[in-house]
Structures are given as structure tokens and as C-alpha cells.
Amino acid sequence: MTNKEKVFNLVKELSQDINIKEKKGITAQEIAQKLNLKRNVASHLLNELYKEGKVIKINTRPVYFLDKEVYEKRAKEFKEVSKDLGVPVKNFTEDPFTKLIGYNGSLKEQVKLCKSAASYPPNGLPILLIGNTGVGKSYIAQLIYEYAKYIGVIEENAPYVIFNCAEYANNPELLSANLFGYVKGAFTGADKDKPGLLEEADGGYLFLDEVHRLPPEGQEKLFLFMDKGIFRRLGETNNWRTAKVRFVFATTEDPEKTFTKTFLRRIPLVVHIPSFDERPLHERLQLIYNFYRNEARNLGMDILISKQVLNVLLKTKVSGNIGKLINVIKYSCAQAYSHIIKSKTNILRIHLYDLPKEMQTDLDIVKSNFHFNGMLISHNKKDEGLSWEKDDNREIYSALNKMFELFKEYQNNGIASEEFKKNVLVYLNELTDTIIFKNDSSYIDSIVFNAIKNVVENVLNIMQNMYGIKYYGNSVLVLSHFINYLLSDVTYEKYSESIESALEILKNIFPKEFIIANKMADLIEVNLDIKLNKIAVAYFTLYLRSLNKTDTANLINSIIIAHGYSTASSIASVANRLLGQFVFEAFDMPIEMSTQEVMARVQDYLKNIDTSRGVIILVDMGSLEEIYKSLTDIVEGDIAIINNITTQLALDVGNRILQNQPLEQIVTEAIQRNSSRYKFIKSQKNRENAILTTCVTGIGTAVKIRDLLYRCLKSEKVEVIAYDFNRLRGNGIRDEIFKTYNVKLIIGTADPGVKEIPYLSLEDLITGDGEVLLKQVLEEVIDNEVIEKVNQAIVKHFSLQNVLHYLTFLNPTKIIDQVEKAISDLEVYLGVKFPNSLKISLYIHVSCMIERLITKDPINCYENIEEFEKCHRHFIEGVKSSLGVIEETYKVDVPVSEIGFIYDIIRSKVKDVAI
């Protein structure tokens, strides 16, 4: 910690409990003694903190200092005491730049430079303000002067002299005479000595406006004074005069073209002031609000501004910028006032026809909608509805820091993918809660917040229509709060480095949500006329993920291309909405657009998504069937193209994609139900190594086994895929999955009988009996060192209790005891002792079955169920009897179809028992 930081922390600490009536503040001597510093060092550091606006300085003898935050909380008390002390209240005023709209927003960097110009020892630095007419250069120059007084670098009564060089541009001699002064007889009419502006401004500031009109000889004389602090009046030849003058220059021109190089070199600080239309929306709105509020106070009337007027003022590029805007606002008030001069109303209503004629003629602006409902301004109430500044964002920064630390940990392979996905959503909720509930909600009814809310609602509706994203009732409010905070706090920029890597991670982990988030950000920026920080895309991505936790990252990607302005969009929109997920991306192809143009857009899209599982392209006519030729180098997996696209075909294909069917199966079966043709282009790239997980009871449990196995393999180069048991058993090695992947192993609850591929039962994985087989398989694809780590992870994650905990929401300890009793009863009933491997299979199957029954999602189909009931009634009765306690405990009824699967599991392990 630096000495300055120690001093600041000590001032904060000592200021907390200070009794201002007994003690006026903290002295440099106190600080020096407590921190073991020299008094002059402590005094210097305290004055630096004062100049930075962190502490308050009380100019008595001795000089006292106070923490600024403490002063602001007890301002009234301190001001009363300051009167008794004879200390002018000016020492307690706010930083003058806080009056400047945008000082902590779009003008933050400009304000920083202006403060540097004023505070730089010993006499400040010359500064040049550049900007179009009316952007506020004169006002900012005045604030620099006030700030210099505020920090005590010039006297309170120091002069502030303004001179417009344009007034004497055609008379260089007279211009010089005004600047430097003249002696009697220097020119015709000079009948007495006269001091110039430099002498007038001695000890203070000289503001030279339109300085580009200063001729080269005038610039030469001025830079001599800026260099050495000496000058001569016009007509003087012997003595040099001196003065201490600080300079602020302003120009509307390019300084490189209008100033001599020697003069420009003497101005170290050049500040560009943006035009009105370049300022952010909330700043433009605040300016309009302030100027109308001034008029309301002058007139002693409330002012109601229509939304059309607000729209025009916000969007019109006013040639005179803020200066012209003030005149337009005065004009509109005068026009409106003339209409009500005879009435007794106390509300002045500003309509479109009250604006100057030239502002009423731009129909595009008049008709456009900025989502505002008009603005009512009170003439006698302090209205803080447009306040954007927040005093303390530390809790928000803390939540953000935790989130970015998590991204960093994941990037460094310190956390598994599944754990990252879970934790990042926890941190998202934490951040959201902090933004919404921690902060003052007084702005919720403000014009800006309501505009954001309207836009967000429209954007979410568009996303729902296009991509089937279902959002909650509070989603609009949540996202509006976030955007409002993002716009009000420019310090989010400090996360710019972290956000780039975070976005790359989100793009890979949540690809579909990432695409939608970018489109949301684009729409919000266009509709609110703002530029969002990239952190918004990250937040939107995670928020969309929290709305739908179904993992779509491993789904086959599909796009729709159709001729016409909205044919593809319409079909994709309907399909996505009915499917309830983002399955199809649409590419509309107006008649005048060439195939090459639309394919360039498709290629850009495919380059930014994971195509390893292949791509299905639905097209409307034969002319697009050959487009695959330009995609084979981009798409990692197979490509299928189906023509004659219809909504029915899209829904059929979409359903199959969500069911995780293989790509070739999807297209071959989909065209049988629709009048379509297809082309299937097999990927020529190397097939990826894969392990299949499967379950006799369906894909749900297979997915859970896959996710658990992912935890062990982490980032190793082996894909883990959940796959349908019946497809494997029915198709064998001919199944499409074996053409797409180099399948090394099948893990499941029952052997599907694919002889060419090794099978490892889940119970062998749990007991450790499958360690040798697993090692043999993994040796072919990963290093021995990594295999050992994988084995350790499997021992950790694939204990029976952990597997049950992961596969079900039931209490593992309790359910194991209950299932153990049921299995023991069934052994007694059948008169057979089950091997341990069978018991583990039954533990897992029965536990998952109970969860299905509790959630009312049982397996109701079993092959030849009627025949099974007839032939195995004794077995059915025995199972029902054994599971009686479980049925009673969980208030469920085990159907015959579920008992059939229990029969299959026992029969696969015990061949010689009559059941």
C-alpha cells in the first residue's frame, strides 16, 4: 500500500466519529505522527487527495481535512459550523465538473484532461478545446476556471477573461493591441497607455475563443509569452513585462491546418468535444430535460412535452448543437405560450407544430418511434427522475469479479464444464439480485428506464417469435435494470480484457444462446440509439441459458434458406416457437439476391458455430441443392440438404433433432413423410473418437450417465454421446452413429449386443471390475498419465451413492436401504441369490424407476406386454410384493411395463432360474 493510500484510509477512519463542534477536522501533523511520516510529506499527500476530490480542505490555521463521503453525509452540520469558523462555504462546494452532463459518461476522458490542465504544477497547462459550434466549449472553459479555484491553485477572486479572436480577425494589429496592450502613440488613435488582456488575466485564466482566427504573427507573440512568461505592449521596445496567465483555447477547425507548428507544440493538451448527436441517448435526454426545466422555472409553469417533440429533438442533427438546441427549446416554449396566453392553464404543452418549420419536415424522424411517452417537467419540484449516477457499486463489482474469476478458472482447466455451467448461473443470479435489489429504485418510473423497458419487451417478443425463447414475466424488468445500470456506469470498461475471453468461452459452451444474445444487443442498440458494452452480450447469453437449461450445444445445427423477403424467417419462426427452442436459423433470399451473396452469409454463420455433428439445410427449390459445394471445407461433419421446405417438414426435422437422432436417419425418415428429395454428403474429415452411453429404459438415464462421465473425461479428446438402446440393439454396427464416430466403447445398464464394440456395464464401472477394459480402450486415444487421472476421477464420481445422487433427486442413503430390502425380499421370493453386479444394476434401475413414478413419467411401453403378463404372472406378483413398502412410502403404483424391464435385467444376469 502506498503512503498516499495509507493517508487516505486514515483520514476516512478518523473522519467517521469526529465531533465537528469540538474538532474541525484532521491536521497534517496528526497524520504524520500516526503514520510516522514527515509533516511536509503528509501535507503534500493530503493536498494531492484534495486536488483529486477525495478529501475536503478547510482553510483555517492550522488547515484541516475531512473525508469527502463523511462530509457529504453530514453536510448541513459542517456548513453550519463553517459559518461560525468564518470559513467560506465555498470550501465545501461540489466539484464544478459534476454540473456537466456526461462528466462521468461520454465526457469522462475530456473531464480528466481538463482537470489535469488545471491541477498540473506550478501554473497548469494550456489546453485546446476542439468541437463544432455550440457543443459547449465556452461552458467547459468556465468549468476549468471554477475547478482551478475549487482545488485552490488560483485565488478565489482570480480573473477570468474571455476574448473572441474572430472579432479582430481582419485587423491583426488591433488584435495584438487587445491581447498585449499598447503604449501611447503606438498607432493612430492610441492617445494613452492601455493594458492588454494578458495583464487583466494575471493570476487567473484567459479564454481565447475561435483561436484559429489568430494570425501567425499573433501566435508567435503568444508562444513567446507561453514559453517565458514575458511580453511587451504594442509600441514598447525596451522593458519586458511579466504575468502569470493560464490559457484555455477553443476552435472549430483542424488545428494542424490552422496553427503554426511552433504554437501547437506549446499546447500539450488537446480535447475533442463530441457533437450533440454523438452523445449517448440518456445524456441527450438529460440536456433536453434541463433546458426545458430552466424554461419551466422562468415561466413558473409545468411543461408537458409530447413524445413526437421528444423524438424529433433526440434524433435531429441540430447544426448548432447544444447552443442551437437551447434556442429551439426557447422557441417552442414561446410558440406554445402564445397559444395559451389568454387561458388560465398552468401547464405549457409543447407540440410538434411549436417547433421551427425546418424540424417538422423530416417525416422519417417524425414517424419513427423512440419508445417514449412524453415528458412532464415540474417548475417547482426537484426532479431526479433522470439521475444516472450511482454512489456505490462495490457489491456489483464483487459479483462481477467472482464471475470473471470463474471464467478464468475454467479457461485454465481448473473446473469441469458441468460445474462451470452450474456455478456461472449461480453467479448470474447473484449479480442480478444485487443490481435489482441493492440500489435505489427511484428511477424505475423515469423516462429513460421506461424507454429501455419498452425496447426490451419488444426485443424479447421478437426473440420469442424468431427462436421460440420463452421468457418469464419479470424478464423485461431484469434486463431493463441491467441495461440501465450498464449505461449509468462507464467503469464497466475496466472489464474489457476479461470480457473478450469470457465471450469466447460462452460462444463455445452456449452457442445458440450466444447467437441470440448478439441479435438482442444489436436490436437494443438500434432502438435506443446507444452503444452497449460487450458485457451485455455475456449477460444476455447467461440469462437466456437460465431460462432454458436444456443443453442444446450438442444438437445438430439446421438452417432454412428460401427465396423471398421473409419466407425462410416465417417458417423458422413458427417451427422454433412450436418446438420451444432455437433449432433453425433463417436466411431469406430476395429475388434480386444472388446465390453467392446468400451463401456468403451462410458461410459466415457456420464459421462461428460448432458443426462437428453436421448441418441440415432445408431449401425451397432445386436451384439451391448444389450449395453444399461451397460448404464442405467449412462444415466439420456431414451435410444434408432437403428441398421443398414446408412448415410441416421443418417441424418434423426439428423434432428429430431434439430427440438426438443421427443426421442421416433424420433426413431419410423425414422425407418419407413429406414430398421432398435430399442429398447427403458424407464428411471426408477424420471421425472423432467416441464413447456411447445407453440405457434399456430410454434416453433420459443415458444422458445423465453421459453427463457424469463427462466430469471424469473433462477436456480429453473423446466425445461422450447418449444413444438410444433400441436403435443399437436393432441396427447393430450398421447404425448411423458408427459411420459418424469412431466408437471405442458402449457403457450402459444393459448390453445392446453390438458385438464389434466393447461393452462395459454401469455396475462394473461402479465396482471397479471394468477398470482393465476401460484402460485398454483409453490407451488408444490418450496418454497413460492422463488415464490414471481419469481412473481416479471415475473412482470418485462413480460410487453407487454418487451415481444415484446424480441420476435421481432422491436421497441416496435412504433409497439404497429401501431398495436393498426390496431386492432381499425378491431373492427370498424367487429362491435365488443375486450376484453383486445384478444388485447394483437393480439399485440403479429401481431408484430411477421410483423417480419416474413420482414425477408421473413412467415407461408405459414394453415389447409384447400382454404375453409377458400371461407367462410371468408369478414374477410380477413377487416384484409387486417386494416393492410394496416403496409403493406405500412414495404413494406410487409400479406398472407391468416397468416390471418387464426389471425382468430383463435379472434374466440378463441369471440364466438358470425359473422366473
Side-chain angles (χ1 to χ4, degrees):
M1 187 183 290
T2 64
N3 281 337
K4 189 200 267 189
E5 289 169 337
K6 289 177 183 175
V7 169
F8 181 49
N9 289 339
L10 185 57
V11 171
K12 282 180 82 72
E13 182 186 329
L14 295 176
S15 298
Q16 292 297 328
D17 302 316
I18 198 165
N19 185 339
I20 193 68
K21 291 181 180 176
E22 295 177 5
K23 188 180 179 186
K24 290 102 182 159
I26 298 108
T27 64
Q29 186 64 38
E30 280 181 80
I31 297 293
Q33 286 175 350
K34 288 182 180 292
L35 294 179
N36 199 22
L37 297 172
K38 289 184 178 178
R39 187 196 167 284
N40 63 333
V41 172
S43 178
H44 172 72
L45 294 173
L46 283 164
N47 277 298
E48 278 194 5
L49 291 167
Y50 169 60
K51 289 175 184 178
E52 291 170 9
K54 292 180 178 178
V55 300
I56 296 293
K57 184 177 180 182
I58 306 172
N59 283 326
T60 55
R61 290 197 181 275
V63 175
Y64 290 100
F65 296 88
L66 278 168
D67 175 58
K68 187 179 178 184
E69 285 184 10
V70 171
Y71 163 74
E72 286 171 349
K73 288 176 185 173
R74 300 167 60 189
K76 189 175 179 182
E77 180 188 348
F78 287 139
K79 284 179 181 177
E80 288 299 320
V81 173
S82 74
K83 290 176 186 174
D84 298 337
L85 293 170
V87 181
V89 178
K90 62 180 171 52
N91 288 303
F92 298 102
T93 56
E94 286 290 314
D95 177 348
F97 277 104
T98 57
K99 296 184 288 186
L100 179 66
I101 292 168
Y103 82 95
N104 200 25
S106 68
L107 299 179
K108 187 177 183 182
E109 292 304 314
Q110 287 87 338
V111 167
K112 196 183 292 182
L113 289 172
C114 291
K115 287 183 174 182
S116 298
S119 61
Y120 194 81
N123 296 314
L125 293 172
I127 184 169
L128 174 62
L129 307 176
I130 303 174
N132 294 330
T133 302
V135 295
K137 299 186 294 295
S138 300
Y139 182 56
I140 292 172
Q142 174 79 30
L143 291 177
I144 294 173
Y145 163 69
E146 289 178 17
Y147 181 75
K149 289 196 295 181
Y150 169 71
I151 61 173
V153 294
I154 60 173
E155 296 297 324
E156 182 61 30
N157 60 352
Y160 178 66
V161 180
I162 303 170
F163 182 69
N164 192 321
C165 300
E167 293 176 16
Y168 300 94
N170 297 322
N171 193 334
E173 193 174 71
L174 194 54
L175 192 149
S176 293
N178 273 279
L179 271 177
F180 301 102
Y182 54 84
V183 295
K184 184 178 178 180
F187 52 86
T188 304
D191 52 2
K192 61 178 180 180
D193 289 358
K194 185 175 186 294
L197 298 176
L198 289 180
E199 288 169 85
E200 276 187 52
D202 189 13
Y205 270 88
L206 175 57
F207 172 45
L208 294 181
D209 200 3
E210 298 195 63
V211 70
H212 57 275
R213 305 298 289 272
L214 192 66
E217 55 268 32
Q219 292 180 30
E220 286 178 25
K221 289 180 183 178
L222 200 55
F223 75 63
L224 174 66
F225 174 73
M226 292 163 70
D227 261 359
K228 300 184 178 178
I230 59 174
F231 69 97
R232 282 180 175 141
R233 289 181 182 176
L234 207 63
E236 280 185 335
T237 54
N238 44 14
N239 294 331
W240 289 100
R241 297 175 182 270
T242 62
K244 280 189 178 179
V245 179
R246 293 163 174 254
F247 286 98
V248 179
F249 304 107
T251 180
T252 56
E253 306 300 316
D254 181 351
E256 298 290 341
K257 295 177 181 176
T258 51
F259 297 122
T260 63
K261 288 183 179 178
T262 49
F263 180 67
L264 200 54
R265 277 202 300 269
R266 281 153 181 83
I267 306 175
L269 297 178
V270 178
V271 176
H272 292 265
I273 312 299
S275 299
F276 177 71
D277 58 281
E278 294 171 331
R279 302 278 289 273
L281 172 69
H282 62 278
E283 290 181 14
R284 280 180 279 151
L285 195 59
Q286 184 75 64
L287 286 164
I288 293 168
Y289 173 85
N290 282 10
F291 299 146
Y292 269 115
R293 185 180 57 187
N294 292 341
E295 296 308 310
R297 288 172 178 172
N298 290 338
L299 293 167
M301 300 177 72
D302 294 349
I303 295 179
L304 179 62
I305 309 156
S306 75
K307 67 177 182 179
Q308 289 87 355
V309 169
L310 205 52
N311 199 21
V312 169
L313 291 177
L314 284 165
K315 292 204 78 174
T316 303
K317 290 192 176 181
V318 183
S319 58
N321 285 291
I322 295 170
K324 178 67 180 292
L325 178 69
I326 294 171
N327 289 336
V328 167
I329 285 172
K330 285 181 180 291
Y331 177 93
S332 67
C333 290
Q335 287 290 98
Y337 190 77
S338 68
H339 299 148
I340 60 141
I341 205 159
K342 292 179 181 178
S343 65
K344 294 181 180 179
T345 180
N346 63 346
I347 294 181
L348 189 69
R349 299 175 188 273
I350 312 293
H351 298 285
L352 195 59
Y353 52 73
D354 293 318
L355 294 176
K357 293 292 180 190
E358 65 270 18
M359 298 185 78
Q360 300 176 29
T361 54
D362 194 333
L363 291 177
D364 288 339
I365 291 177
V366 172
K367 289 177 182 176
S368 63
N369 187 3
F370 245 123
H371 306 281
F372 295 109
N373 298 318
M375 184 190 286
L376 177 64
I377 298 171
S378 171
H379 72 283
N380 58 8
K381 286 183 184 175
K382 186 181 178 186
D383 191 325
E384 296 179 348
L386 295 181
S387 175
W388 287 69
E389 313 307 334
K390 302 294 166 202
D391 294 331
D392 188 0
N393 296 339
R394 280 174 294 185
E395 288 192 28
I396 291 172
Y397 299 150
S398 172
L400 275 171
N401 286 334
K402 279 202 282 186
M403 189 177 284
F404 284 120
E405 280 300 315
L406 185 69
F407 277 106
K408 194 173 178 182
E409 188 181 0
Y410 177 74
Q411 193 175 25
N412 296 330
N413 296 322
I415 185 172
S417 175
E418 290 304 313
E419 193 174 348
F420 169 78
K421 289 177 185 178
K422 183 176 75 176
N423 290 348
V424 78
L425 294 183
V426 170
Y427 291 154
L428 172 82
N429 291 334
E430 205 175 292
L431 174 62
T432 301
D433 289 347
T434 306
I435 288 174
I436 294 176
F437 301 116
K438 162 81 174 81
N439 298 290
D440 179 21
S441 60
S442 60
Y443 56 75
I444 287 180
D445 293 324
S446 76
I447 295 163
V448 175
F449 188 80
N450 279 310
I452 293 171
K453 201 163 72 171
N454 289 338
V455 169
V456 168
E457 189 167 14
N458 288 345
V459 168
L460 284 175
N461 282 331
I462 291 168
M463 294 301 109
Q464 186 175 47
N465 289 334
M466 286 175 65
Y467 300 114
I469 297 298
K470 294 187 175 112
Y471 62 91
Y472 305 127
N474 69 338
S475 295
V476 173
L477 204 58
V478 168
L479 295 179
S480 299
H481 274 287
F482 175 75
I483 294 167
N484 186 74
Y485 228 100
L486 199 60
L487 293 176
S488 67
D489 185 6
V490 293
T491 54
Y492 281 119
E493 295 295 336
K494 67 184 177 183
Y495 295 108
S496 53
E497 287 184 22
S498 302
I499 194 61
E500 291 298 336
S501 56
L503 289 175
E504 198 59 37
I505 290 168
L506 291 174
K507 179 179 165 185
N508 293 325
I509 289 188
F510 305 130
K512 296 283 178 98
E513 291 86 353
F514 184 76
I515 291 168
I516 300 172
N518 274 285
K519 298 200 176 194
M520 283 176 63
D522 289 345
L523 282 170
I524 290 168
E525 285 183 347
V526 168
N527 281 279
L528 281 177
D529 196 22
I530 57 174
K531 183 66 182 171
L532 290 174
N533 186 290
K534 287 182 181 178
I535 205 169
V537 175
Y539 186 89
F540 295 162
T541 302
L542 293 171
Y543 188 77
L544 291 168
R545 176 64 179 176
S546 73
L547 295 178
N548 177 22
K549 295 189 174 67
T550 306
D551 198 346
T552 58
N554 292 316
L555 294 179
I556 294 168
N557 285 288
S558 186
I559 60 178
I560 298 174
I561 309 173
H563 292 84
Y565 287 96
S566 63
T567 309
S569 295
S570 298
I571 295 173
S573 170
V574 172
N576 287 332
R577 282 165 63 194
L578 292 175
L579 293 167
Q581 284 196 50
F582 173 18
V583 177
F584 297 104
E585 181 62 279
F587 292 89
D588 294 307
M589 187 177 171
I591 301 301
E592 63 271 17
M593 183 183 284
S594 68
T595 305
Q596 288 73 22
E597 286 177 277
V598 78
M599 286 317 299
R601 289 170 53 213
V602 171
Q603 287 167 358
D604 285 341
Y605 172 73
L606 294 176
K607 282 175 187 173
N608 289 302
I609 62 172
D610 179 13
T611 57
S612 58
R613 297 210 63 200
V615 175
I616 297 174
I617 304 173
L618 308 181
V619 300
D620 64 340
M621 60 176 70
S623 63
L624 293 172
E625 287 182 24
E626 300 302 314
I627 58 175
Y628 71 87
K629 292 175 182 175
S630 62
L631 302 178
T632 49
D633 290 335
I634 297 170
V635 177
E636 292 293 320
D638 302 334
I639 301 172
I641 300 175
I642 308 176
N643 74 353
N644 295 338
I645 173 64
T646 62
T647 304
Q648 180 183 327
L649 175 62
L651 285 170
D652 192 6
V653 170
N655 266 315
R656 294 173 185 278
I657 288 173
L658 294 178
Q659 290 168 24
N660 272 306
Q661 290 185 3
L663 189 146
E664 192 168 6
Q665 179 194 349
I666 291 173
V667 293
T668 52
E669 293 183 4
I671 64 155
Q672 291 171 10
R673 300 177 58 186
N674 302 275
S675 302
S676 305
R677 299 195 313 271
Y678 80 95
K679 277 194 175 181
F680 181 77
I681 300 91
K682 191 74 184 166
S683 172
Q684 299 306 306
K685 297 180 172 64
N686 292 331
R687 288 185 301 158
E688 196 174 351
N689 292 315
I691 293 174
L692 302 186
T693 61
T694 189
C695 179
V696 69
T697 59
I699 197 73
T701 306
V703 169
K704 291 181 177 181
I705 298 170
R706 176 202 67 188
D707 292 344
L708 191 55
L709 195 57
Y710 257 134
R711 289 185 166 201
C712 305
L713 292 171
K714 282 189 180 175
S715 60
E716 306 312 328
K717 296 177 182 178
V718 184
E719 186 72 21
V720 183
I721 301 165
Y723 208 71
D724 183 73
F725 178 85
N726 290 326
R727 286 192 59 80
L728 289 175
R729 186 169 62 177
N731 297 338
I733 198 65
R734 297 188 308 277
D735 193 89
E736 176 60 29
I737 193 70
F738 300 110
K739 299 175 188 174
T740 308
Y741 291 94
N742 181 23
V743 178
K744 306 299 267 180
L745 181 67
I746 299 172
I747 297 175
T749 55
D751 188 352
V754 183
K755 295 177 183 177
E756 295 82 357
I757 308 294
Y759 169 75
L760 176 60
S761 67
L762 186 58
E763 56 269 25
D764 284 348
L765 200 58
I766 292 169
T767 60
D769 292 343
E771 185 179 339
V772 175
L773 174 58
L774 185 64
K775 187 175 181 181
Q776 287 174 352
V777 168
L778 293 179
E779 275 176 347
E780 299 175 26
V781 288
I782 54 180
D783 300 333
N784 284 329
E785 189 180 330
V786 178
I787 290 173
E788 186 54 40
K789 289 181 182 177
V790 171
N791 274 331
Q792 289 170 6
I794 285 174
V795 169
K796 175 185 173 183
H797 289 297
F798 277 84
S799 65
L800 179 59
Q801 281 208 340
N802 197 53
V803 170
L804 290 179
H805 174 75
Y806 198 79
L807 296 185
T808 75
F809 57 67
L810 304 172
N811 182 324
T813 306
K814 186 177 178 183
I815 196 67
I816 285 175
D817 290 342
Q818 292 169 335
V819 174
E820 184 178 26
K821 176 70 168 61
I823 291 172
S824 177
D825 289 347
L826 187 58
E827 284 180 309
V828 172
Y829 182 84
L830 297 175
V832 63
K833 183 72 176 171
F834 294 159
N836 283 340
S837 61
L838 174 55
K839 286 183 179 179
I840 291 172
S841 286
L842 290 172
Y843 279 135
I844 294 167
H845 177 82
V846 173
S847 299
C848 292
M849 178 191 75
I850 294 167
E851 183 188 64
R852 286 195 298 273
L853 296 176
I854 291 171
T855 57
K856 302 193 180 338
D857 187 28
I859 299 172
N860 289 317
C861 54
Y862 180 76
E863 197 174 348
N864 300 322
I865 191 166
E866 291 176 1
E867 186 181 338
F868 173 73
E869 279 191 89
K870 286 179 186 176
C871 300
H872 302 284
R873 186 159 299 280
H874 174 69
F875 177 79
I876 294 170
E877 288 172 358
V879 172
K880 289 287 282 184
S881 172
S882 303
L883 296 175
V885 175
I886 289 174
E887 286 185 319
E888 179 62 32
T889 302
Y890 295 101
K891 301 294 186 280
V892 296
D893 180 48
V894 181
V896 174
S897 52
E898 288 280 11
I899 295 172
F901 285 108
I902 294 174
Y903 173 85
D904 289 343
I905 291 169
I906 295 173
R907 174 58 73 192
S908 67
K909 300 285 184 182
V910 184
K911 305 290 185 185
D912 57 348
V913 64
I915 54 174

